[in-house]
Amino acid sequence: MASTIRLFVDHPLGQAQTVPLSSAQAHYLFGVMRRGAGEVIEVFNGRDGTWTAEVIEARKKAGVLACVEQIAPQRNAPDVWLLFAPIKKQRTDFIVEKAAELGAARIVPVVTEFTNAERVRQDRLQAHAVEAAEQCGGNYVPEVADATKLPDLLDGWDASRRILFCDEGRAGAADVLSGLPAGPWAILIGPEGGFSDRERARLHSIDHAHPVSLGPRILRADTAAVAALTLWQQALGDWT
Ligand code: SAH
């Protein structure tokens, strides 16, 4: 049996609601996946839950679906953001994909002193987040923000959102997250070069930033992002 195709659509969903496809989606669905009129796929828009939808018009670069029924309610990610310093392109793509799968509400590329990645393309990263949401069965797509400099981000920070500061300087016995308070959080991961002394000093001076260790070994930034999200989800998120 062919696996169910799931598409993110930026369009309202509801009983008998018709949904136009983009040319890229029509190409994928009818050209690549060889689906046609009468076939049923799943769609979600990040607001109205997951719906089954029937193809009612299939053309090479266009198409129309009609919603049939809602098969899952809307389920948003828990309120955790991932702040990470962009690294090499493929590893940055990996971080965005894994953050979408593991359940981050928002993804923010952060430029730190030792960040030496080339410019990040927000639109490319957002497309990766959409693709990851489509294939992992969720119906929420984290928003990818434009890259922001760390000092600017910290200057404008809302103190009610705690920061889980993954500090390679604390590498050793992993900290237990289950004692930390629930509520909005943001996980902060540094670049391959780590945080500078100045950055570390500033982060340590912030009351709502909690420095944590991710165990005895120094992890690459992409591994650290996955490990930190896992620990957070397990202790404070929606895995329990
Ligand atoms: N070059 C640095 C390591 C940077 S690792 C050094 O040798 O010290 C990239 C990022 O992953 C770090 O900035 C930190 O946010 C996170 N990280 C990696 N291993 C960690 C650990 N054991 N504990 C806490 N954070 C870690």
Side-chain angles (χ1 to χ4, degrees):
M1 199 186 97
S3 64
T4 308
I5 292 177
R6 307 183 77 246
L7 290 181
F8 170 81
V9 291
D10 190 9
H11 197 273
L13 304 175
Q15 205 59 53
Q17 171 75 54
T18 54
V19 179
L21 294 174
S22 69
S23 60
Q25 286 173 325
H27 170 72
Y28 169 73
L29 196 56
F30 311 133
V32 181
M33 300 307 287
R34 303 271 159 211
R35 303 301 163 97
E39 291 190 65
V40 173
I41 66 163
E42 288 179 19
V43 290
F44 61 99
N45 63 5
R47 297 185 299 274
D48 300 321
T50 306
W51 286 74
T52 50
E54 185 183 332
V55 176
I56 54 173
E57 219 181 289
R59 281 180 285 132
K60 224 177 179 168
K61 284 191 173 153
V64 179
L65 308 174
C67 292
V68 179
E69 62 170 336
Q70 194 195 47
I71 54 168
Q74 182 58 39
R75 187 169 186 201
N76 293 334
D79 196 1
V80 62
W81 297 358
L82 178 68
L83 321 178
F84 75 100
I87 41 177
K88 283 203 193 80
K89 195 163 153 238
Q90 276 170 336
R91 289 181 182 272
T92 296
D93 292 351
F94 174 92
I95 289 176
V96 169
E97 181 183 295
K98 298 312 159 202
E101 287 175 30
L102 291 165
R106 186 178 162 85
I107 299 171
V108 187
V110 178
V111 180
T112 62
E113 280 183 47
F114 297 156
T115 299
N116 58 3
E118 63 276 32
R119 215 171 65 84
V120 285
R121 291 252 324 262
Q122 187 278 341
D123 57 337
R124 267 192 67 250
L125 295 182
Q126 186 66 71
H128 275 291
V130 167
E131 217 174 282
E134 287 173 340
Q135 68 82 41
C136 77
N139 56 25
Y140 177 80
V141 180
E143 185 196 343
V144 180
D146 285 323
T148 312
K149 290 196 174 117
L150 182 62
D152 297 345
L153 192 75
L154 296 176
D155 285 347
W157 196 259
D158 170 3
S160 66
R161 180 177 298 280
R162 293 186 165 83
I163 298 173
L164 193 75
F165 163 36
C166 296
D167 180 5
E168 67 274 11
R170 281 175 75 88
D175 288 289
V176 176
L177 270 52
S178 54
L180 294 172
W185 277 91
I187 293 168
L188 174 62
I189 306 286
E192 295 300 351
F195 291 103
S196 71
D197 289 343
R198 187 163 29 158
E199 289 169 338
R200 184 168 292 110
R202 175 156 186 200
L203 286 160
H204 278 289
S205 76
I206 298 175
D207 282 346
H208 52 271
H210 300 251
V212 290
S213 156
L214 298 173
R217 287 165 289 275
I218 302 289
L219 309 175
R220 296 188 75 130
D222 45 350
T223 317
V226 171
L229 269 164
T230 304
L231 290 174
W232 188 91
Q233 287 288 13
Q234 162 72 31
L236 300 162
D238 64 3
W239 287 16
T240 44

